[in-house]
Amino acid sequence: MKFVCQHIGLSIVIDDKLVDQLCRLGSDHYPKEYGGLLVGRYVNNNKEVIIEETVLPKKFKSSAFSFERGVEGLRKTLGDLSRRNPSLIYVGEWHTHPDGRPVPSGTDSSALRTIAEHKDVFIKNPLLLIIGLSNTGYELGFYVLYKNEIHSYELEYNQQHKTEINLIEKTYGGK
Amino acid sequence: MATDKNKHLEEVLTSHKISKEQALLDKHIDKRKEISEALQEKYGSDLYSPFNSGSYAKHTAMNKKFDIDLIAPYKRNAFETLEKMYSSVYDFLYDKYKNEATVKKQKVSIGLEFNTDADGDIVKVDVVPGRELNKDQYPDDNNLNLYVYEQFGKIDKGSDRIKSNIKSQIENVKGHAEKDSVRQIIRLLKVWKFYNGKKPKSFFLELITIKAFDKKTISGDIWDKLKAVMEFIRDEVKSVSLPDPGNSSNDIADTLTDSDKDTLSYDMKRMIERIEEDSDTIKSYYPINEKFPPEDEQKSNNSYGVKTGIGLSVPPVTRFG
C-alpha cells in the first residue's frame, strides 16, 4: 500500500504482508506496546521510501503506555542489510499503541527529533509508524519529521477502498 | 529566463503572510495580553483600556517582523507631565520584565524583547504610553499625547507635541476604498524595507502609499501598482506632506530628514530602472520568504534527506510513548 504526505509531496510504500507481520507482532505483545526499526530504500529521487523489512530489538522495555527499544545487535544487523543488493538502510521506527489512536505522543515526537539529530544517524527524516491496536482491529498512522515538524501521511486515494476492505477483514483480537 | 514580475510578487506576498507564523503570532498576542493586564493592575483607574495598534491591527503585517504594539491610554490627571508618564511606564515594565526581556526606551514607545524561548522564538512587544489630551475626553475623541523620547526625523527629543488619534490611524488603512491593493503594496514595501535594511518607518510607507493611491490613478496588475507607487515616492517624497490621520497637525513626512528623503527617492529610481532593465532583479529587492516558499516549488524540491558524509545509520536507544 502507498501513503502520501500531500503537504510535503513525499510518499511511503509498504507491502501489505509486512503490515500484517507488524500487526501480528504488536498483537503478540498486546496489551503492552511493542515495536522495532523500519528498513528500506529511497527511490524516485528520494521522494519515495519503500519499507522492506523490520528489525526487531533484542532488548526492550515496555508497558501499556511506553516502549523503549534497545540497541544491542543493531549495528551488525543494519550493516548486513546495507550490503544487500539493493542496499537497505534504516529509515525509521514503528511501535504500537494498545487500545489507543495511532497518533504521536509528545514522547514520540521528541524521540523522532532525538533520532534525527543523533551523530550515528545519517538520515534527516526518520519515519514513524504507529499501529493503534485494539481487540477488534488496527489503525495505521505514518509520520515523518521534516524540517523539524511532524507531518502525517494519508493512504493514497485509489487504494483506500481496497484497504478498508482488508482492514475490516483482519482482526487481531481474542488474546 | 525572465522573471514573471506579477507571479513573483504574488509569491512574495503569499510567503510573507502572517498566518504562516500563527504559532509565533499567538505567542505575541498572549504576551501583549499579559502586559496589558499587568498595566491595568498597576495603574487601575488612571488607565483606560489598553488596545492593539501596529500593522497587525491594520492588516498590513508581514511574518518576518511582527509589529505588535500596545497602546496604553492614561487619564489626563494620571501624570503631571508626559515625560513622567513615559518614565513611570518604563520603570514599571523594567522592574517587572528585566529578568526575562530586554526593556529599552524607543522613540515614542518602550520596547520589550523577550529572551529566546524553548522553540527558539523571540517575542517583541512595543508599549506606547499616551495621555488623553483633555480631561475625560478620550472616550469621545480618542486623542492622546505621546512623549518623544529621542530625535525622530525632524521631531525633537523631549517633544511632547505628538498628538495622535491612533484609532484613526488604524481606520485610515482599513477604511480605504482600495484597501486590498493598498495593503498589498504596503506589505511589499515593508518586505523591501526589511530585506534591504532601509530607514523609513512602516507608518511612513503606509501613509505615502495611501497618498499615492489618492493622488494618482493606480490600476493594472500588481507590478503596475507597485511601480506607480514607487514612481510617486521617487517624484514626490521630497515635497509631500503626510498628515497623521490621528492628528493633522503632525506631518509624518517629518520623521525623515531631507537627506533621508533624497536617499529614498534615489532608491526608488534605481530600483525601478534595474527591474525594468532585468526582471530577475525583482527577486533581490522583493525576495520570497525562504521559510515558506511557494507550495509547488517547495514540493518539487522536497525529498527524504541524507546528511553529508556516508555512514551506517544506527539509531540510539529510544523511548516511545
Side-chain angles (χ1 to χ4, degrees), chain A residues 9 24 29 39 42 65 68 71 80 83 109:
Chain A
R24 284 183 197 286
H29 292 82
V39 293
Y42 297 133
F65 306 106
E68 184 179 289
V71 292
D80 291 345
R83 286 186 286 278
S109 301

Side-chain angles (χ1 to χ4, degrees), chain A residues 35-150:
Chain A
L37 306 189
L38 299 171
V39 293
R41 54 203 167 90
Y42 297 133
V43 296
N44 187 16
N45 293 325
N46 285 22
K47 288 183 173 300
E48 186 162 286
V49 56
I50 301 175
I51 300 172
E52 303 266 19
E53 289 191 24
T54 180
V55 172
L56 300 177
K58 289 188 176 166
K59 289 194 176 172
F60 64 91
K61 294 175 194 166
S62 72
S63 72
F65 306 106
S66 73
F67 171 72
E68 184 179 289
R69 175 191 46 68
V71 292
E72 192 182 336
L74 288 188
R75 182 168 289 281
K76 180 177 182 316
T77 306
L78 290 167
D80 291 345
L81 288 166
S82 74
R83 286 186 286 278
R84 273 201 205 167
N85 189 13
S87 177
L88 298 182
I89 62 166
Y90 166 77
V91 294
E93 306 269 343
W94 70 276
H95 70 280
T96 58
H97 280 179
D99 298 317
R101 299 290 321 280
V103 292
S105 63
T107 310
D108 295 339
S109 301
S110 58
L112 275 192
R113 291 191 170 89
T114 303
I115 289 168
E117 288 165 8
H118 196 268
K119 65 180 176 45
D120 289 336
V121 172
F122 293 89
I123 59 166
K124 289 181 180 174
N125 311 111
L127 303 178
L128 178 63
L129 165 61
I130 300 175
I131 303 173
L133 275 182
S134 70
N135 56 9
T136 56
Y138 65 82
E139 263 188 289
L140 304 179
F142 268 109
Y143 304 89
V144 67
L145 179 72
Y146 200 89
K147 293 185 178 167
N148 206 34
E149 286 182 20
I150 308 287

Side-chain angles (χ1 to χ4, degrees), chain B residues 127 165 169 181 220 242 291 304 321:
Chain B
V127 177
N165 182 331
Q169 291 177 356
S181 294
L242 300 171
K291 194 171 171 190
Y304 292 108

Side-chain angles (χ1 to χ4, degrees), chain B residues 65 107 152 189-190 192-194 196-208 233 237 242 252-253 255-257 260-261 263-265 267-268:
Chain B
K65 182 180 177 297
K107 291 183 176 73
F152 190 8
L189 289 172
K190 285 185 180 181
W192 166 76
K193 167 185 149 81
F194 178 83
N196 296 276
K198 296 300 178 182
K199 195 161 185 173
K201 294 284 290 177
S202 293
F203 190 34
F204 182 98
L205 295 174
E206 287 167 17
L207 289 183
I208 202 162
I233 298 173
V237 67
L242 300 171
I252 299 303
T255 60
L256 290 186
T257 63
D260 294 336
K261 289 176 186 174
T263 306
L264 182 57
S265 173
D267 282 342
M268 293 294 145

Side-chain angles (χ1 to χ4, degrees), chain B residues 55-69:
Chain B
S55 58
Y56 183 61
K58 298 174 206 165
H59 304 284
T60 58
M62 53 175 270
N63 61 18
K64 273 290 181 185
K65 182 180 177 297
F66 289 117
D67 188 1
I68 295 285
D69 291 349

Side-chain angles (χ1 to χ4, degrees), chain B residues 193-246:
Chain B
K193 167 185 149 81
F194 178 83
Y195 287 96
N196 296 276
K198 296 300 178 182
K199 195 161 185 173
K201 294 284 290 177
S202 293
F203 190 34
F204 182 98
L205 295 174
E206 287 167 17
L207 289 183
I208 202 162
T209 301
I210 292 169
K211 189 92 168 187
F213 272 84
D214 289 344
K215 293 283 180 192
K216 291 179 73 167
T217 304
I218 295 180
S219 59
D221 50 36
I222 188 167
W223 165 244
D224 292 335
K225 290 174 184 165
L226 176 62
K227 188 179 162 199
V229 172
M230 290 197 298
E231 285 169 345
F232 180 84
I233 298 173
R234 177 194 67 192
D235 298 337
E236 307 293 337
V237 67
K238 284 181 260 187
S239 57
V240 75
S241 77
L242 300 171
D244 180 345

